[in-house]
Amino acid sequence: MNSARPMNTTLFAADALLPAGWQKNVLLQWNAAGRLTQVQPDSRPDASMQTAEGPLIPGMPNLHSHAFQRAFAGLTEYRGQAQDSFWSWRTLMYRFAQRITPEQFEAIATWLYIEMLEAGYTAVCEFHYVHHDADGRPYADDATLALCLLRAAQNTGIGLTLLPVLYQSSGFGATAATDGQRRFIRSTDNMLRLLERLKPVCDAQGARLGLAPHSLRAVPPEGLQEAVAGFTAMDSEAPVHIHIAEQTAEVEACLAWSGQRPVEWLLNHADVNARWCLVHATHMNETEYARAASSGAVAGICPSTEANLGDGIFDLPRWLSHGGAWGVGSDSHATVNAAEELLLLEYGQRLSLRQRNVLATRQQPQVATAMTLQALQGGAQAAGRDIAGLAVGQQADFVVLDAQHLALAGLHAPEMLSAHVFASHRTSAVHGVWVAGKQYVQAGRHPLHDAAARCFVAARSAIISES
Ligand code: NGQ
Ligand code: ZN
C-alpha cells in the first residue's frame, strides 16, 4: 500500500520555520531519497512550482508512544476506588493489554499513526512491550507484534523508531513479574535475538531500531547492563529509552532498594549519554537535573499523559538552565496533537510558576516558535534519525498550516504558529503533511483516514466487549 501522492521534489513557502527562525520566500528541494538538498530563503518561485498554502513548519517527532493504549484512552476517567492513581490506572491498562490480538494491535497502530500525521507528527518512537500472546507464550514468529508496528508505519507513511522493550520484573530488587505482565517478559538473550531479527527489517524500510529497558522497576541491574552492552555491540549509536522517576512512589521504592533515587542510580550505573532518552524524568533533585542534563540525554516529556496520570510537573526551566535537550511524546495518547502537547507543557509551567511565556528565549521570544524548535531538536535526537528540521541533509518532513483557517487568517507567520498552538480551535489548521518528501496528508486528511478509522472502532469494540 502506498498512500502518498506522486512525487514532487520542490515546494515554495512564503514563510517557513528554519532552525534559526522564520524566513521568507523559502524554496525547498529534496532528492529521490527524501533528503533536503536545498533550503533557500529569499528565493523566487517559478510558475511551475507547487506553493505552500500557509506557513511551513518542521514535522514534529513524537518521542514516546505505546500505540495500543490509544484504544484505551477515555476508558478510565471514572472513580474506581477511594483514591485512583497511576497504579490503579495501570491495573486496568494491563487488563486491556491482555486481550489484544495482532490484528487489533495493527488496526489500532495504523489509525493512531494517521491521527498523528494529521496532527503534525511526522515520526514516532514506539516503546513496544506487548510481545507475546494472551497466555504469555511467544508467537510462532517472536517478532509478530513488532512487525505489526512496522507495517502500520509503512502503510501510513510516518517515520518510525522501533524500541523493543526489555521487561523482566515487577519491582525493584528483581521481584517476579506478575500475571498481568505475562505478555511483556523476556530474558536478556531473547531480547538480543529479537533485536537481531528486527535490525534488517527496520533497515529495509528506513526505520531506526533502538532498545528500551522499560524502567528500573522492570529491569534488574544485570539485565540493563547486558542488554545495553549487547545492543551497543550491534549498533553503537542507536537510541536507548527508559521510563524513569515518573511517580514519587517509584522514587521512594528505589531509595529503599538502593539508597539512591532512580535518575541518580541510573547515572551511577549506566553510561548515560546523548543516545539516551529519559522518559518522564519528572522527579529529580537539583543534582540529578544538573547531571542528567549534562549527560546529553534527552528528557522525554509527555504532557497530556503526565497530566492524565497525575505524575507531577517536570521543571523544564531548570533542565534548560543546565543545557538539557527535550522533546515531547504522547505516550498513552490521552491526546494526539503535537500543538496541544506544547500548549499543555507551557501551561503546566505557567501554573506552577505563576508567570507567562515561560519557555520563550532571548533569541526567540515567540513561545510556540521556541518550543517547536527545541522539541524538534530533542525529538530528532531521541529518534536517532535525521529529522531535525528544515536544513540540507535532513529528511524532508514538514507540515503546512492553512493560512485561511479562521484561527490563522490575516496574521503574520509567527503569530499563525502561536494561534495554532495557543488559540485552540475545534478544527485543526494542519493542512498538508510531508514525510521524506512525500505528501501523506492533503487538506487535513490522510487518504486511509476513513478505512483505518472503521478498523480501529471495530478493534476497540471487540476488545471492550470481551470484558
Ligand atoms: C507503560 N506508562 O509501560 O505503559 C507505562 C505504565 C509502568 C507510563 N509510564 C506502566 N505512562 O510504568 O509500569
Ligand atoms: Zn511510557
Side-chain angles (χ1 to χ4, degrees), residues 51-289:
T51 300
E53 288 90 344
L56 188 148
I57 60 176
M60 184 63 75
N62 185 336
L63 60 60
H64 192 65
S65 164
H66 309 291
F68 76 90
Q69 291 179 16
R70 181 55 170 161
F72 187 56
L75 299 183
T76 58
E77 309 301 321
Y78 61 91
R79 182 172 292 170
Q81 55 187 57
Q83 201 176 14
D84 279 313
S85 66
F86 173 90
W87 308 102
S88 59
W89 167 84
R90 193 178 76 156
T91 303
L92 299 175
M93 184 273 283
Y94 282 175
R95 262 183 232 156
F96 188 83
Q98 293 324 317
R99 296 198 286 264
I100 301 173
T101 67
E103 294 70 29
Q104 292 162 347
F105 193 82
E106 186 167 336
I108 297 165
T110 301
W111 169 243
L112 171 68
Y113 294 166
I114 288 171
E115 287 190 280
M116 285 188 191
L117 286 162
E118 292 180 354
Y121 292 115
T122 44
V124 61
C125 302
E126 190 58 47
F127 199 105
H128 166 55
Y129 63 87
V130 182
H131 298 304
H132 309 313
D133 74 11
D135 297 324
R137 282 187 306 247
Y139 287 101
D141 180 353
D142 192 29
T144 295
L145 292 175
L147 295 174
C148 290
L149 295 167
L150 280 153
R151 274 195 302 275
Q154 175 92 3
N155 290 339
T156 58
I158 201 164
L160 178 68
T161 298
L162 179 63
L163 304 160
V165 171
L166 185 62
Y167 205 113
Q168 301 182 323
S169 57
S170 62
F172 293 102
T175 51
T178 63
D179 188 50
Q181 296 164 335
R182 64 185 180 273
R183 298 189 78 173
F184 318 157
I185 305 303
R186 290 181 177 278
S187 71
T188 307
D189 281 350
N190 180 270
M191 182 74 210
L192 292 170
R193 280 200 298 278
L194 177 68
L195 292 165
E196 271 159 17
R197 158 97 173 79
L198 288 170
K199 183 82 168 82
V201 188
C202 287
D203 289 348
Q205 87 173 56
R208 186 77 199 252
L209 182 67
L211 167 69
H214 181 276
S215 56
L216 298 181
R217 291 176 275 120
V219 183
E222 195 181 280
L224 179 67
Q225 198 277 326
E226 288 174 5
V228 173
F231 183 55
T232 301
M234 209 180 296
D235 183 344
S236 63
E237 287 174 7
V240 179
H241 291 216
I242 189 168
H243 291 129
I244 196 105
E246 179 173 12
Q247 286 277 318
T248 50
E250 179 176 17
V251 176
E252 279 147 28
C254 189
L255 278 164
W257 165 65
S258 67
Q260 295 165 52
R261 302 164 57 81
V263 173
E264 180 186 17
W265 190 95
L266 185 70
L267 292 166
N268 289 342
H269 292 86
D271 176 22
V272 176
N273 54 35
R275 290 170 66 193
W276 287 67
C277 179
L278 308 180
V279 183
H280 320 298
T282 311
H283 299 289
M284 294 191 283
N285 63 23
E286 170 57 27
T287 313
E288 290 174 306
Y289 270 102

Side-chain angles (χ1 to χ4, degrees), residues 14-26 39 41 56-58 361 363-366 368-370 372-374 376-377 389-391 413-414 417:
D15 297 280
L17 181 55
L18 307 193
W22 286 96
Q23 296 283 342
K24 293 220 158 286
N25 301 320
V26 178
V39 180
L56 188 148
I57 60 176
T361 62
Q363 301 86 329
Q364 189 45 261
Q366 291 283 348
T369 298
T372 297
L373 291 173
Q374 290 179 27
L376 172 70
Q377 287 305 316
L390 302 172
L417 180 56

Side-chain angles (χ1 to χ4, degrees), residues 322-376:
H322 296 294
W326 63 277
V328 290
S330 61
D331 190 358
S332 70
H333 315 299
T335 294
V336 181
N337 185 325
E340 267 182 56
E341 296 297 345
L342 300 181
L343 168 102
L344 286 168
L345 179 53
E346 166 72 16
Y347 279 2
Q349 306 296 318
R350 291 187 191 187
L351 287 163
S352 73
L353 295 169
R354 285 173 279 157
Q355 292 172 18
R356 297 194 73 250
N357 302 329
V358 177
L359 295 170
T361 62
R362 196 170 306 149
Q363 301 86 329
Q364 189 45 261
Q366 291 283 348
V367 182
T369 298
M371 292 183 84
T372 297
L373 291 173
Q374 290 179 27
L376 172 70

